[in-house]
Amino acid sequence: MATKTERARNAILKALSEDDAPAGAAKLALRLRAMGLDLQPRTVRVHLLELDRDGYTLMVSRRRGRQLTERGRRELTNVDVFSKLGFVAAKVDDLGYRMSYSYRSGHGSVVANVVLIRDRDLSRALLHVAPVLRAGLAVSNKLAVVRGGEKIGSFTVPLGSVALATICSITVNGVLLSSGIPVTSRFGGLLEMRDGAPLRFVDVIEYRGTTIDPLEVFIGAGMTEVAQCARTGSGIIGASFREIPAAAAGLARRVLNRLRERGLGGDLAMGEGSLPLFDIPVTEGRTGLIVIGGLNPLATLREVGIPATMRSLSGLADISEFMPIEDAERLGKRSYPYVD
């Protein structure tokens, strides 16, 4: 069992990992408080000095604070696995609460998924991503293309790489929540599509029982058929299962319709109160909702063998950072022409 000091150190590492920018003791103390750990800035500084000595953190400057080292990131992934159970579910709830996008104004921040590829692979990658967006197998047909050294939200893209960012399905949670509809994210899974319509879930992982985004797990294991589904209407794609109060189903349908008018959404099916949806039992008094996975366009990169590093639930980014796929394709051809 971890000691009080070890728990504090691990929490500080986790707090630093929430943002790729450096942070000082005062800012970290606020983040820790939000995580349920009340430490004074001076106590955080003592722990940071010890983390510096162990090579887990590095002082960038007195004004900007510290950042994680590669050793610190590895340590964070190796901490007690049971303490990380439910981390993804908590992150889903946190990002859905903090995003600010409004379907009424069309402005605000959304939740982003990011994949890093080599800059020379950009045009080739867009050839495979574009059909998925056009087929409606994503939350939006918009994409962000971010060059090395630039930022998407709070994430800085390494030099020599390009980031492709899609709008995460958790954005739907945030929009419903801002309309007064609480959402419970139950699991992410593989959904079989047939002739353009959802048929059944073939594999699922509960959000509260995993330390990694479920769809990222399935994509990494090569279990998706997103490109095939985009071509033929049939195949295995990523999707998630949510629950909302049955009494809010009518309002939810209206909100989702308004969201689609803004070019966002990705909802595939909504059930009836307390009744199973595609053979998935639903909690009494609630209604099932299936939302398409925001990672689907990026899954095609793994399917065709383009080297890619995925960062699901990467953080918040302003909706203005995303462009229609046609603009992204033109940008890719100008910057990194692809020759087969």
Side-chain angles (χ1 to χ4, degrees):
M1 183 179 294
T3 66
K4 184 177 180 180
T5 297
E6 288 172 336
R7 288 196 297 272
R9 283 163 54 101
N10 292 339
I12 290 170
L13 293 177
K14 189 178 295 185
L16 274 171
S17 73
E18 290 183 356
D19 197 325
D20 284 281
K27 182 182 288 187
L28 288 171
L30 290 174
R31 291 182 188 172
L32 292 170
R33 195 166 296 125
M35 295 164 58
L37 188 62
D38 191 8
L39 292 181
Q40 295 300 313
R42 61 179 179 272
T43 305
V44 174
R45 289 189 191 96
V46 172
H47 288 301
L48 286 170
L49 288 172
E50 295 175 352
L51 291 168
D52 286 349
R53 286 195 291 269
D54 291 338
Y56 296 145
T57 55
L58 176 68
M59 171 73 81
V60 176
S61 69
R62 290 190 177 277
R63 182 178 64 84
R64 298 177 64 198
R66 288 171 172 81
Q67 64 183 21
L68 283 180
T69 63
E70 281 305 311
R71 185 177 181 184
R73 293 183 187 280
R74 289 195 300 271
E75 173 66 14
L76 187 58
T77 63
N78 292 331
V79 297
D80 182 10
V81 68
F82 291 104
S83 70
K84 295 191 293 182
L85 285 176
F87 173 72
V88 172
K91 192 171 185 180
V92 164
D93 291 342
D94 176 68
L95 290 172
Y97 177 78
R98 290 197 291 122
M99 58 158 278
S100 63
Y101 178 79
S102 167
Y103 66 83
R104 293 183 177 87
S105 68
H107 300 298
S109 60
V110 295
V111 185
N113 297 311
V114 172
V115 68
L116 293 176
I117 60 174
R118 299 172 300 192
D119 50 14
R120 65 178 181 270
D121 288 333
L122 175 59
S123 293
R124 180 185 170 210
L126 289 172
L127 286 175
H128 297 284
V129 169
V132 178
L133 295 174
R134 292 195 174 101
L137 297 178
V139 176
S140 167
N141 66 355
K142 291 186 175 183
L143 185 75
V145 180
V146 190
R147 304 173 190 274
E150 298 178 349
K151 298 182 74 172
I152 173 73
S154 61
F155 175 66
T156 302
V157 180
L159 295 175
S161 298
V162 174
L164 299 180
T166 59
I167 297 176
C168 179
S169 65
I170 301 306
T171 299
V172 177
N173 290 34
V175 171
L176 291 173
L177 183 61
S178 68
S179 301
I181 304 172
V183 182
T184 301
S185 295
R186 287 189 53 193
F187 57 76
L190 295 176
L191 182 69
E192 182 178 355
M193 300 285 288
R194 185 173 296 175
D195 298 327
L199 180 64
R200 59 182 175 179
F201 277 98
V202 295
D203 277 297
V204 298
I205 297 176
E206 287 194 44
Y207 282 108
R208 299 194 180 278
T210 179
T211 61
I212 306 173
D213 185 313
L215 299 189
E216 194 172 343
V217 173
F218 292 127
I219 292 169
M223 299 172 69
T224 60
E225 299 170 346
V226 177
Q228 173 185 311
C229 191
R231 289 193 309 271
T232 68
S234 300
I236 304 297
I237 66 169
S240 57
F241 194 93
R242 319 276 169 82
E243 286 185 352
I244 61 173
L251 175 58
R253 288 189 175 92
R254 292 194 293 274
V255 171
L256 293 171
N257 285 337
R258 292 290 302 276
L259 199 56
R260 278 193 292 273
E261 292 171 4
R262 288 287 186 181
L264 297 173
D267 55 299
L268 288 171
M270 183 184 296
E272 301 295 332
S274 305
L275 296 178
L277 179 60
F278 292 102
D279 295 325
I280 303 296
V282 176
T283 307
E284 184 70 26
R286 301 184 72 80
T287 292
L289 174 65
I290 297 175
V291 181
I292 206 159
L295 286 173
N296 282 329
L298 309 181
T300 59
L301 305 183
R302 294 286 179 86
E303 293 175 8
V304 300
I306 296 176
T309 301
M310 199 166 291
R311 294 173 61 102
S312 60
L313 300 170
S314 186
L316 302 179
D318 195 271
I319 189 68
S320 63
E321 297 184 57
F322 296 83
M323 66 185 80
I325 184 57
E326 294 78 13
D327 293 345
E329 288 178 304
R330 285 192 288 270
L331 177 63
K333 290 176 181 177
R334 288 199 307 269
S335 303
Y336 309 101
Y338 170 58
V339 180
D340 194 352

